[in-house]
Coordinates of all heavy atoms in Angstrom, one line a residue:
M1 N 25.5 -111.3 53.6 CA 25.1 -110.3 54.6 C 25.9 -110.4 55.9 O 26.0 -111.5 56.4 CB 23.6 -110.5 54.8 CG 23.0 -109.5 55.7 SD 21.2 -109.6 55.8 CE 20.9 -109.0 57.4
K2 N 26.4 -109.3 56.3 CA 27.2 -109.3 57.5 C 26.3 -109.4 58.8 O 25.3 -108.8 58.9 CB 28.0 -108.0 57.6 CG 28.9 -107.9 58.8 CD 29.6 -106.5 58.8 CE 30.4 -106.4 60.1 NZ 30.9 -105.1 60.3
K3 N 26.7 -110.3 59.7 CA 26.0 -110.4 60.9 C 26.2 -109.2 61.8 O 27.3 -108.8 62.0 CB 26.4 -111.7 61.7 CG 25.7 -112.9 61.2 CD 26.0 -114.0 62.2 CE 25.1 -115.2 62.0 NZ 25.3 -116.2 63.0
Q4 N 25.1 -108.7 62.4 CA 25.2 -107.6 63.3 C 25.1 -108.2 64.7 O 24.4 -109.1 65.0 CB 24.0 -106.7 63.1 CG 24.0 -106.0 61.8 CD 24.9 -104.7 61.8 OE1 25.6 -104.4 62.8 NE2 24.9 -104.0 60.7
I5 N 25.9 -107.6 65.6 CA 25.8 -107.9 67.0 C 24.8 -107.0 67.7 O 24.9 -105.8 67.5 CB 27.2 -107.8 67.7 CG1 28.2 -108.8 67.1 CG2 27.1 -108.0 69.2 CD1 29.6 -108.7 67.6
I6 N 23.9 -107.6 68.4 CA 22.8 -106.8 69.0 C 23.2 -106.7 70.5 O 23.2 -107.7 71.2 CB 21.4 -107.4 68.9 CG1 21.1 -107.5 67.4 CG2 20.4 -106.6 69.6 CD1 19.8 -108.2 67.0
P7 N 23.6 -105.5 71.0 CA 24.0 -105.4 72.4 C 22.8 -105.5 73.4 O 21.7 -105.1 73.0 CB 24.6 -104.0 72.5 CG 24.0 -103.2 71.4 CD 23.7 -104.2 70.3
V8 N 23.1 -106.0 74.5 CA 22.1 -106.0 75.6 C 22.5 -104.8 76.5 O 23.7 -104.7 76.9 CB 22.2 -107.3 76.4 CG1 21.2 -107.3 77.6 CG2 21.8 -108.5 75.5
V9 N 21.6 -104.0 76.8 CA 21.8 -102.8 77.6 C 21.0 -102.8 78.8 O 19.8 -103.1 78.8 CB 21.5 -101.5 76.7 CG1 21.7 -100.2 77.5 CG2 22.3 -101.5 75.4
V10 N 21.6 -102.4 79.9 CA 20.8 -102.3 81.2 C 20.6 -100.8 81.5 O 21.5 -100.0 81.2 CB 21.4 -103.0 82.4 CG1 21.5 -104.5 82.1 CG2 22.8 -102.5 82.7
A11 N 19.5 -100.5 82.1 CA 19.2 -99.1 82.5 C 18.6 -99.1 83.8 O 18.0 -100.1 84.2 CB 18.3 -98.4 81.4
A12 N 18.7 -98.0 84.5 CA 18.2 -97.9 85.9 C 17.2 -96.7 85.9 O 17.4 -95.6 85.4 CB 19.3 -97.6 86.9
I13 N 16.0 -97.0 86.5 CA 15.1 -96.0 86.9 C 15.4 -95.7 88.4 O 15.2 -96.5 89.3 CB 13.6 -96.4 86.7 CG1 13.3 -96.7 85.3 CG2 12.7 -95.4 87.3 CD1 12.0 -97.2 85.0
I14 N 16.0 -94.5 88.6 CA 16.4 -94.2 90.0 C 15.4 -93.1 90.5 O 15.3 -92.0 90.0 CB 17.8 -93.6 90.0 CG1 18.8 -94.7 89.5 CG2 18.2 -93.1 91.4 CD1 20.2 -94.3 89.3
N15 N 14.7 -93.5 91.6 CA 13.7 -92.7 92.2 C 14.1 -92.4 93.6 O 14.3 -93.3 94.4 CB 12.4 -93.4 92.2 CG 11.3 -92.7 92.9 OD1 11.4 -91.6 93.3 ND2 10.1 -93.4 93.0
Q16 N 14.2 -91.1 93.9 CA 14.5 -90.7 95.3 C 13.5 -89.6 95.7 O 13.6 -88.5 95.0 CB 16.0 -90.3 95.5 CG 16.3 -90.0 96.9 CD 17.8 -89.8 97.1 OE1 18.5 -89.2 96.2 NE2 18.4 -90.1 98.2
K17 N 12.7 -89.9 96.6 CA 11.7 -88.9 97.1 C 10.8 -88.4 95.9 O 10.6 -87.2 95.8 CB 12.4 -87.7 97.8 CG 13.1 -88.2 99.1 CD 13.7 -87.0 99.8 CE 14.4 -87.5 101.0 NZ 15.1 -86.4 101.7
N18 N 10.4 -89.3 95.1 CA 9.5 -89.0 94.0 C 10.2 -88.1 92.9 O 9.5 -87.5 92.1 CB 8.2 -88.4 94.4 CG 7.1 -89.4 94.2 OD1 7.3 -90.5 93.8 ND2 5.9 -89.0 94.5
Q19 N 11.5 -88.1 92.9 CA 12.3 -87.5 91.8 C 13.1 -88.5 91.1 O 13.6 -89.4 91.7 CB 13.2 -86.4 92.4 CG 12.4 -85.2 93.0 CD 13.4 -84.1 93.5 OE1 14.6 -84.3 93.7 NE2 12.8 -82.9 93.6
F20 N 13.1 -88.4 89.8 CA 13.7 -89.4 88.9 C 15.0 -88.8 88.3 O 15.0 -87.7 87.8 CB 12.7 -89.9 87.9 CG 11.6 -90.6 88.5 CD1 10.4 -89.9 88.9 CD2 11.6 -92.0 88.7 CE1 9.4 -90.6 89.5 CE2 10.5 -92.6 89.3 CZ 9.4 -91.9 89.7
L21 N 16.0 -89.7 88.2 CA 17.3 -89.2 87.7 C 17.4 -89.6 86.2 O 17.2 -90.7 85.8 CB 18.4 -89.9 88.4 CG 19.8 -89.6 87.9 CD1 20.2 -88.1 88.2 CD2 20.9 -90.5 88.5
L22 N 17.7 -88.6 85.4 CA 18.0 -88.8 84.0 C 19.4 -88.2 83.8 O 19.9 -87.3 84.4 CB 17.1 -88.0 83.1 CG 15.6 -88.4 83.1 CD1 14.8 -87.5 82.3 CD2 15.4 -89.9 82.6
T23 N 20.1 -88.8 82.8 CA 21.4 -88.3 82.4 C 21.4 -87.7 81.0 O 20.6 -88.2 80.2 CB 22.5 -89.4 82.5 OG1 22.1 -90.5 81.7 CG2 22.7 -89.9 83.9
K24 N 22.2 -86.8 80.7 CA 22.2 -86.1 79.4 C 23.3 -86.8 78.6 O 24.5 -86.8 79.0 CB 22.4 -84.6 79.5 CG 22.1 -83.9 78.2 CD 22.1 -82.4 78.4 CE 21.5 -81.7 77.2 NZ 21.5 -80.3 77.5
R25 N 23.0 -87.3 77.4 CA 24.0 -88.0 76.6 C 24.9 -87.0 76.0 O 24.5 -86.0 75.3 CB 23.2 -88.7 75.5 CG 24.0 -89.7 74.8 CD 23.1 -90.4 73.8 NE 24.0 -91.3 73.1 CZ 23.8 -92.6 73.0 NH1 22.8 -93.2 73.6 NH2 24.6 -93.4 72.3
S26 N 26.2 -87.2 76.2 CA 27.2 -86.2 75.7 C 28.0 -86.7 74.5 O 28.4 -85.9 73.7 CB 28.1 -85.8 76.8 OG 28.9 -86.9 77.2
E27 N 28.2 -88.0 74.3 CA 29.0 -88.5 73.2 C 28.2 -88.6 71.9 O 27.0 -88.7 71.9 CB 29.6 -89.8 73.6 CG 28.7 -91.0 73.5 CD 27.9 -91.3 74.8 OE1 28.0 -90.5 75.8 OE2 27.1 -92.2 74.8
I28 N 28.9 -88.6 70.8 CA 28.3 -88.8 69.5 C 28.4 -90.2 69.2 O 29.5 -90.8 69.3 CB 29.0 -87.9 68.5 CG1 28.8 -86.4 68.8 CG2 28.5 -88.2 67.1 CD1 29.6 -85.5 67.9
D29 N 27.3 -90.8 68.7 CA 27.3 -92.2 68.3 C 27.6 -92.2 66.8 O 26.8 -91.8 66.0 CB 25.9 -92.8 68.5 CG 25.8 -94.3 68.3 OD1 26.8 -94.8 67.7 OD2 24.8 -94.9 68.7
E30 N 28.8 -92.7 66.5 CA 29.3 -92.8 65.1 C 28.5 -93.7 64.2 O 28.5 -93.5 63.0 CB 30.8 -93.2 65.1 CG 31.7 -92.2 65.9 CD 31.8 -90.8 65.3 OE1 31.6 -90.7 64.1 OE2 32.0 -89.9 66.1
E31 N 27.8 -94.7 64.8 CA 27.1 -95.7 64.0 C 25.7 -95.2 63.7 O 25.0 -95.8 62.9 CB 27.0 -97.0 64.8 CG 28.3 -97.7 65.0 CD 28.2 -98.9 65.8 OE1 27.0 -99.4 66.0 OE2 29.2 -99.5 66.2
D32 N 25.3 -94.1 64.2 CA 23.9 -93.6 64.1 C 23.9 -92.1 63.7 O 24.4 -91.3 64.4 CB 23.1 -93.8 65.4 CG 21.6 -93.7 65.2 OD1 21.2 -93.1 64.2 OD2 20.9 -94.1 66.1
S33 N 23.4 -91.8 62.5 CA 23.3 -90.4 62.1 C 22.5 -89.6 63.0 O 22.6 -88.4 63.0 CB 22.8 -90.4 60.6 OG 21.5 -90.9 60.6
Q34 N 21.5 -90.2 63.7 CA 20.8 -89.4 64.7 C 21.4 -89.7 66.0 O 20.9 -90.3 66.9 CB 19.3 -89.9 64.7 CG 18.5 -89.6 63.6 CD 17.1 -90.1 63.8 OE1 16.9 -91.3 63.9 NE2 16.1 -89.2 63.8
S35 N 22.6 -89.2 66.3 CA 23.5 -89.6 67.4 C 22.8 -89.5 68.8 O 23.4 -90.0 69.7 CB 24.7 -88.7 67.3 OG 24.5 -87.4 67.7
Y36 N 21.7 -88.8 68.9 CA 21.1 -88.6 70.2 C 21.9 -87.8 71.2 O 21.7 -87.9 72.4 CB 20.6 -90.0 70.8 CG 19.6 -90.6 69.9 CD1 19.9 -91.5 68.9 CD2 18.2 -90.3 70.0 CE1 19.0 -92.1 68.1 CE2 17.3 -90.9 69.2 CZ 17.7 -91.8 68.2 OH 16.7 -92.4 67.4
Q37 N 22.9 -87.1 70.7 CA 23.7 -86.3 71.5 C 22.8 -85.2 72.1 O 21.9 -84.7 71.5 CB 24.8 -85.6 70.7 CG 25.8 -84.8 71.6 CD 26.9 -84.1 70.8 OE1 26.8 -84.1 69.6 NE2 27.9 -83.7 71.5
D38 N 23.0 -84.9 73.4 CA 22.2 -84.0 74.2 C 20.8 -84.4 74.5 O 20.0 -83.6 74.9 CB 22.2 -82.6 73.5 CG 23.6 -81.9 73.5 OD1 24.4 -82.2 74.4 OD2 23.9 -81.2 72.6
F39 N 20.5 -85.7 74.3 CA 19.2 -86.2 74.6 C 19.3 -86.7 76.1 O 20.3 -87.1 76.6 CB 18.8 -87.4 73.7 CG 18.2 -87.0 72.4 CD1 18.8 -86.1 71.6 CD2 17.0 -87.5 72.1 CE1 18.2 -85.8 70.4 CE2 16.4 -87.2 70.8 CZ 17.0 -86.3 70.0
W40 N 18.1 -86.6 76.8 CA 18.0 -87.1 78.1 C 17.7 -88.6 78.1 O 17.0 -89.1 77.2 CB 16.9 -86.4 78.9 CG 17.3 -85.0 79.1 CD1 16.9 -83.9 78.4 CD2 18.2 -84.5 80.2 NE1 17.5 -82.8 78.9 CE2 18.2 -83.1 80.0 CE3 18.9 -85.1 81.2 CZ2 19.0 -82.3 80.8 CZ3 19.6 -84.2 82.0 CH2 19.7 -82.9 81.8
Q41 N 18.3 -89.4 79.0 CA 18.2 -90.8 79.0 C 18.3 -91.4 80.4 O 18.8 -90.7 81.3 CB 19.2 -91.5 78.1 CG 20.6 -91.3 78.7 CD 21.7 -91.8 77.8 OE1 21.4 -92.3 76.7 NE2 22.9 -91.8 78.2
L42 N 17.9 -92.6 80.6 CA 18.1 -93.3 81.9 C 19.6 -93.7 81.9 O 20.2 -94.1 80.9 CB 17.3 -94.6 81.9 CG 15.8 -94.4 82.0 CD1 15.1 -95.7 81.9 CD2 15.4 -93.7 83.3
P43 N 20.2 -93.7 83.1 CA 21.6 -94.1 83.1 C 21.7 -95.6 82.9 O 20.8 -96.4 83.3 CB 22.0 -93.7 84.6 CG 20.8 -93.6 85.3 CD 19.7 -93.2 84.4
G44 N 22.8 -96.0 82.3 CA 23.0 -97.5 82.1 C 24.1 -97.7 81.0 O 24.8 -96.8 80.6
G45 N 24.2 -98.9 80.6 CA 25.2 -99.2 79.6 C 25.1 -100.7 79.1 O 24.3 -101.5 79.6
S46 N 26.0 -101.1 78.3 CA 26.0 -102.4 77.7 C 26.6 -103.5 78.6 O 27.6 -103.2 79.3 CB 26.8 -102.4 76.4 OG 26.2 -101.6 75.4
V47 N 26.0 -104.6 78.5 CA 26.5 -105.8 79.2 C 27.8 -106.2 78.6 O 27.9 -106.4 77.3 CB 25.5 -106.9 79.2 CG1 26.1 -108.2 79.9 CG2 24.2 -106.5 79.9
E48 N 28.9 -106.4 79.3 CA 30.2 -106.9 78.8 C 30.2 -108.5 78.9 O 29.5 -109.0 79.8 CB 31.3 -106.3 79.6 CG 31.5 -104.8 79.4 CD 32.6 -104.2 80.1 OE1 33.3 -104.9 80.9 OE2 32.8 -103.0 80.0
F49 N 31.0 -109.1 78.1 CA 31.1 -110.5 78.1 C 31.4 -111.0 79.5 O 32.3 -110.5 80.2 CB 32.1 -111.0 77.1 CG 32.2 -112.5 77.1 CD1 31.4 -113.2 76.3 CD2 33.2 -113.2 77.8 CE1 31.4 -114.6 76.3 CE2 33.3 -114.6 77.8 CZ 32.4 -115.3 77.0
G50 N 30.7 -112.0 80.0 CA 30.9 -112.6 81.3 C 30.2 -112.0 82.4 O 30.2 -112.4 83.6
E51 N 29.5 -110.9 82.2 CA 28.8 -110.1 83.2 C 27.3 -110.6 83.2 O 26.7 -110.9 82.2 CB 28.8 -108.6 82.9 CG 29.9 -107.9 83.4 CD 29.7 -106.4 83.2 OE1 29.1 -105.9 82.3 OE2 30.3 -105.7 84.1
K52 N 26.8 -110.6 84.4 CA 25.3 -110.7 84.6 C 24.7 -109.3 84.5 O 25.4 -108.3 84.8 CB 25.0 -111.3 85.9 CG 25.5 -112.7 86.1 CD 25.2 -113.3 87.4 CE 25.8 -114.7 87.5 NZ 25.7 -115.2 88.9
P53 N 23.5 -109.2 84.0 CA 22.9 -107.8 83.9 C 23.0 -107.0 85.2 O 23.3 -105.8 85.2 CB 21.5 -108.1 83.5 CG 21.6 -109.4 82.7 CD 22.6 -110.2 83.5
E54 N 22.8 -107.7 86.3 CA 22.8 -106.9 87.6 C 24.2 -106.4 87.9 O 24.4 -105.3 88.4 CB 22.4 -107.8 88.8 CG 20.9 -108.3 88.7 CD 20.8 -109.6 87.8 OE1 21.7 -110.1 87.3 OE2 19.6 -110.0 87.7
E55 N 25.2 -107.2 87.5 CA 26.6 -106.7 87.7 C 26.9 -105.5 86.8 O 27.6 -104.6 87.2 CB 27.6 -107.8 87.4 CG 27.5 -109.0 88.3 CD 28.3 -110.2 87.9 OE1 28.5 -110.4 86.6 OE2 28.7 -111.0 88.7
T56 N 26.4 -105.6 85.6 CA 26.5 -104.4 84.7 C 25.9 -103.2 85.2 O 26.5 -102.1 85.2 CB 25.9 -104.8 83.3 OG1 26.5 -105.9 82.8 CG2 26.0 -103.6 82.3
L57 N 24.7 -103.3 85.8 CA 24.0 -102.2 86.4 C 24.9 -101.5 87.5 O 25.1 -100.3 87.5 CB 22.7 -102.5 86.9 CG 21.8 -101.4 87.3 CD1 21.3 -100.6 86.1 CD2 20.7 -101.8 88.2
H58 N 25.4 -102.4 88.4 CA 26.2 -101.8 89.5 C 27.5 -101.2 88.9 O 27.9 -100.1 89.4 CB 26.6 -102.9 90.4 CG 25.4 -103.4 91.3 ND1 24.9 -102.5 92.2 CD2 24.7 -104.5 91.3 CE1 23.9 -103.2 92.8 NE2 23.8 -104.4 92.3
R59 N 28.1 -101.8 87.9 CA 29.4 -101.2 87.3 C 29.1 -99.9 86.6 O 29.8 -98.9 86.8 CB 30.0 -102.2 86.3 CG 31.2 -101.6 85.6 CD 31.8 -102.6 84.6 NE 30.8 -103.1 83.6 CZ 30.4 -102.4 82.5 NH1 30.8 -101.2 82.3 NH2 29.5 -103.0 81.7
E60 N 28.0 -99.8 85.8 CA 27.7 -98.6 85.1 C 27.3 -97.5 86.1 O 27.6 -96.3 85.8 CB 26.5 -98.9 84.1 CG 26.9 -99.7 82.9 CD 27.8 -98.9 81.9 OE1 27.9 -97.7 82.0 OE2 28.5 -99.6 81.1
M61 N 26.6 -97.8 87.1 CA 26.2 -96.7 88.1 C 27.4 -96.2 88.8 O 27.5 -94.9 89.0 CB 25.2 -97.2 89.1 CG 23.8 -97.6 88.5 SD 23.0 -96.4 87.5 CE 23.4 -97.0 85.9
K62 N 28.4 -97.0 89.1 CA 29.6 -96.6 89.7 C 30.4 -95.7 88.7 O 30.9 -94.6 89.0 CB 30.5 -97.8 90.1 CG 31.7 -97.4 90.9 CD 31.3 -96.9 92.2 CE 32.5 -96.8 93.1 NZ 32.3 -96.1 94.3
E63 N 30.5 -96.2 87.4 CA 31.2 -95.4 86.4 C 30.6 -94.1 86.0 O 31.2 -93.1 85.9 CB 31.3 -96.2 85.1 CG 32.3 -97.4 85.2 CD 32.3 -98.3 83.9 OE1 31.6 -97.9 82.9 OE2 32.9 -99.3 83.9
E64 N 29.3 -94.1 85.8 CA 28.6 -92.9 85.3 C 28.2 -91.9 86.4 O 28.2 -90.7 86.2 CB 27.3 -93.3 84.6 CG 27.5 -94.0 83.3 CD 26.2 -94.2 82.5 OE1 25.2 -93.7 82.9 OE2 26.3 -95.0 81.5
L65 N 27.8 -92.5 87.6 CA 27.3 -91.6 88.7 C 28.2 -91.5 89.9 O 28.0 -90.7 90.8 CB 25.9 -92.1 89.1 CG 24.9 -92.2 87.9 CD1 23.6 -92.9 88.5 CD2 24.6 -90.9 87.3
G66 N 29.2 -92.4 90.0 CA 30.1 -92.5 91.1 C 29.4 -93.0 92.4 O 29.7 -92.6 93.5
T67 N 28.3 -93.8 92.3 CA 27.6 -94.2 93.4 C 27.1 -95.7 93.3 O 27.2 -96.2 92.2 CB 26.3 -93.3 93.6 OG1 25.7 -93.6 94.9 CG2 25.3 -93.5 92.5
Q68 N 26.7 -96.2 94.4 CA 26.1 -97.6 94.4 C 24.6 -97.4 94.4 O 24.1 -96.5 95.0 CB 26.6 -98.4 95.6 CG 28.1 -98.7 95.5 CD 28.5 -99.5 96.7 OE1 28.0 -99.3 97.8 NE2 29.6 -100.2 96.6
V69 N 23.9 -98.4 93.8 CA 22.5 -98.4 93.9 C 22.0 -99.7 94.4 O 22.7 -100.7 94.3 CB 21.9 -98.2 92.5 CG1 22.2 -96.8 92.0 CG2 22.3 -99.2 91.5
N70 N 20.8 -99.7 94.9 CA 20.2 -101.0 95.4 C 19.1 -101.3 94.3 O 18.3 -100.5 94.0 CB 19.5 -100.8 96.7 CG 20.5 -100.5 97.8 OD1 21.5 -101.1 97.9 ND2 20.1 -99.6 98.7
I71 N 19.2 -102.5 93.8 CA 18.2 -103.0 92.9 C 17.0 -103.4 93.6 O 17.0 -104.3 94.5 CB 18.7 -104.1 92.0 CG1 19.9 -103.6 91.2 CG2 17.6 -104.7 91.1 CD1 20.6 -104.7 90.4
I72 N 15.8 -102.8 93.3 CA 14.6 -103.2 94.0 C 13.9 -104.2 93.2 O 13.4 -105.2 93.7 CB 13.7 -101.9 94.2 CG1 14.4 -100.9 95.1 CG2 12.3 -102.3 94.7 CD1 13.7 -99.6 95.2
S73 N 13.8 -104.0 91.9 CA 13.1 -105.0 91.0 C 13.5 -104.9 89.6 O 14.0 -103.8 89.2 CB 11.6 -104.9 91.2 OG 11.1 -103.7 90.7
L74 N 13.2 -105.9 88.8 CA 13.4 -105.9 87.4 C 12.0 -105.5 86.8 O 11.0 -106.0 87.2 CB 13.8 -107.3 86.9 CG 13.8 -107.6 85.5 CD1 14.9 -106.8 84.8 CD2 14.0 -109.1 85.2
L75 N 12.0 -104.5 85.8 CA 10.8 -104.3 85.1 C 10.4 -105.5 84.3 O 11.2 -106.0 83.6 CB 10.9 -103.0 84.2 CG 10.4 -101.7 84.8 CD1 11.2 -101.3 86.0 CD2 10.4 -100.7 83.7
P76 N 9.1 -105.9 84.4 CA 8.7 -107.1 83.7 C 8.5 -106.9 82.2 O 7.5 -107.4 81.6 CB 7.5 -107.5 84.4 CG 6.9 -106.2 84.9 CD 8.1 -105.3 85.2
K77 N 9.4 -106.2 81.5 CA 9.2 -105.9 80.1 C 10.6 -105.8 79.5 O 11.5 -105.1 80.1 CB 8.4 -104.7 79.8 CG 8.3 -104.4 78.3 CD 7.2 -103.4 78.0 CE 7.2 -103.0 76.5 NZ 7.3 -103.9 75.5
I78 N 10.9 -106.4 78.4 CA 12.1 -106.2 77.7 C 11.9 -105.2 76.5 O 10.9 -105.3 75.8 CB 12.7 -107.5 77.1 CG1 12.9 -108.5 78.2 CG2 13.9 -107.3 76.3 CD1 14.0 -108.2 79.2
F79 N 12.7 -104.2 76.4 CA 12.5 -103.2 75.4 C 13.5 -103.4 74.2 O 14.6 -103.8 74.5 CB 12.7 -101.8 76.0 CG 11.8 -101.4 77.1 CD1 12.1 -101.8 78.4 CD2 10.6 -100.8 76.8 CE1 11.2 -101.5 79.4 CE2 9.7 -100.5 77.8 CZ 10.0 -100.9 79.1
T80 N 13.1 -103.1 73.0 CA 14.0 -103.1 71.9 C 13.9 -101.8 71.2 O 12.9 -101.3 70.9 CB 13.6 -104.3 70.9 OG1 13.6 -105.5 71.6 CG2 14.5 -104.3 69.7
E81 N 15.1 -101.3 70.9 CA 15.3 -100.0 70.1 C 15.9 -100.3 68.8 O 17.0 -101.0 68.8 CB 16.1 -99.0 71.0 CG 16.4 -97.7 70.3 CD 15.2 -96.8 70.3 OE1 14.3 -96.9 71.1 OE2 15.2 -95.9 69.4
I82 N 15.3 -99.9 67.7 CA 15.9 -100.1 66.4 C 16.1 -98.8 65.8 O 15.2 -98.0 65.7 CB 15.0 -101.0 65.5 CG1 14.8 -102.4 66.2 CG2 15.6 -101.1 64.1 CD1 13.8 -103.2 65.5
R83 N 17.4 -98.5 65.4 CA 17.7 -97.3 64.7 C 18.2 -97.7 63.3 O 18.2 -98.9 63.0 CB 18.8 -96.5 65.5 CG 18.2 -96.1 66.9 CD 19.3 -95.4 67.6 NE 18.9 -95.3 69.0 CZ 19.7 -95.2 70.0 NH1 21.0 -95.2 69.8 NH2 19.3 -95.1 71.3
Q84 N 18.8 -96.8 62.6 CA 19.2 -97.1 61.2 C 20.1 -98.4 61.1 O 19.7 -99.4 60.5 CB 20.0 -96.0 60.6 CG 19.0 -94.8 60.3 CD 19.7 -93.6 59.8 OE1 20.9 -93.3 60.1 NE2 19.1 -92.9 58.9
N85 N 21.3 -98.4 61.7 CA 22.2 -99.5 61.6 C 22.5 -100.1 63.0 O 23.5 -100.7 63.2 CB 23.5 -99.1 61.0 CG 23.3 -98.7 59.5 OD1 22.6 -99.3 58.8 ND2 24.1 -97.7 59.1
W86 N 21.6 -99.9 63.9 CA 21.8 -100.4 65.3 C 20.5 -100.9 65.9 O 19.4 -100.4 65.6 CB 22.3 -99.2 66.1 CG 22.7 -99.6 67.5 CD1 23.9 -100.0 67.9 CD2 21.8 -99.5 68.7 NE1 23.9 -100.2 69.3 CE2 22.6 -99.9 69.8 CE3 20.5 -99.1 68.9 CZ2 22.1 -100.0 71.0 CZ3 20.0 -99.2 70.1 CH2 20.8 -99.6 71.2
Q87 N 20.6 -101.9 66.7 CA 19.5 -102.4 67.4 C 20.0 -102.8 68.8 O 21.1 -103.4 68.9 CB 18.9 -103.7 66.8 CG 17.7 -104.2 67.6 CD 17.0 -105.4 66.8 OE1 17.4 -105.7 65.7 NE2 16.1 -106.1 67.5
G88 N 19.3 -102.5 69.8 CA 19.7 -102.9 71.2 C 18.5 -103.5 71.9 O 17.3 -103.2 71.7
V89 N 18.8 -104.4 72.9 CA 17.8 -105.0 73.7 C 18.0 -104.4 75.1 O 19.2 -104.4 75.6 CB 17.9 -106.5 73.7 CG1 16.9 -107.1 74.8 CG2 17.6 -107.0 72.4
F90 N 17.0 -103.8 75.7 CA 17.1 -103.1 77.0 C 16.4 -103.8 78.1 O 15.3 -104.2 78.0 CB 16.5 -101.7 76.9 CG 17.3 -100.8 76.0 CD1 17.2 -100.8 74.6 CD2 18.2 -99.9 76.6 CE1 17.9 -100.0 73.8 CE2 18.9 -99.0 75.8 CZ 18.7 -99.1 74.4
I91 N 17.2 -104.0 79.2 CA 16.7 -104.6 80.5 C 16.7 -103.4 81.5 O 17.7 -102.8 81.7 CB 17.5 -105.7 81.0 CG1 17.6 -106.8 79.9 CG2 17.0 -106.2 82.3 CD1 18.6 -107.9 80.2
V92 N 15.5 -103.1 82.1 CA 15.4 -102.0 83.0 C 15.1 -102.4 84.4 O 14.3 -103.3 84.7 CB 14.3 -101.0 82.5 CG1 14.3 -99.8 83.4 CG2 14.6 -100.6 81.0
Y93 N 15.9 -101.8 85.3 CA 15.7 -102.1 86.8 C 15.2 -100.9 87.5 O 15.6 -99.7 87.1 CB 17.1 -102.5 87.4 CG 17.6 -103.8 86.9 CD1 18.4 -103.9 85.8 CD2 17.3 -105.0 87.5 CE1 18.9 -105.2 85.3 CE2 17.7 -106.2 87.1 CZ 18.5 -106.3 86.0 OH 19.0 -107.5 85.5
L94 N 14.5 -101.1 88.6 CA 14.1 -100.0 89.5 C 15.0 -100.0 90.7 O 15.4 -101.1 91.2 CB 12.7 -100.2 89.9 CG 12.1 -99.2 90.9 CD1 12.0 -97.8 90.2 CD2 10.7 -99.6 91.3

């Protein structure tokens, strides 16, 4: 049985004046037949080797949104998403 790598993904709940930011997924996920293209999601991305999750969050917000964010807190729950041939562990920040 081939070992699967389970990515760690960080996501941001961005709240400004009681409005929350979602991003619309545009790419097709080749590993998942339910590609989730055109689904709304929290902005974020995968932790790269050598990065701390907070560094990943800052990098992803700069890449995806062109902005810097202030981390207020870490949500006290780790989320796991399992799809057909993919599983991810999600760390969410406010």
Side-chain angles (χ1 to χ4, degrees):
M1 184 171 150
K2 182 181 172 187
K3 274 192 166 182
Q4 294 279 3
I5 295 175
I6 299 173
V8 175
V9 179
V10 297
I13 297 175
I14 299 175
N15 175 6
Q16 188 172 29
K17 297 181 182 176
N18 251 2
Q19 293 186 340
F20 295 88
L21 177 70
L22 295 175
T23 56
K24 194 170 189 180
R25 193 176 177 122
S26 61
E27 75 276 358
I28 296 173
D29 187 346
E30 299 296 331
E31 296 178 10
D32 193 345
S33 62
Q34 289 182 298
S35 71
Y36 296 93
Q37 184 180 16
D38 294 330
F39 277 54
W40 293 98
Q41 64 183 8
L42 295 172
S46 295
V47 176
E48 293 180 358
F49 182 81
E51 274 186 328
K52 295 177 182 173
E54 295 87 357
E55 294 170 335
T56 302
L57 188 73
H58 287 293
R59 176 181 54 79
E60 288 288 345
M61 295 306 102
K62 187 71 172 170
E63 288 175 8
E64 290 186 10
L65 306 174
T67 190
Q68 293 180 330
V69 294
N70 295 320
I71 297 174
I72 296 171
S73 64
L74 170 69
L75 261 63
K77 177 167 175 45
I78 302 294
F79 300 88
T80 300
E81 176 77 22
I82 300 172
R83 301 178 192 153
Q84 290 179 325
N85 295 323
W86 184 89
Q87 178 177 355
V89 175
F90 290 81
I91 301 170
V92 182
Y93 292 91
L94 180 64

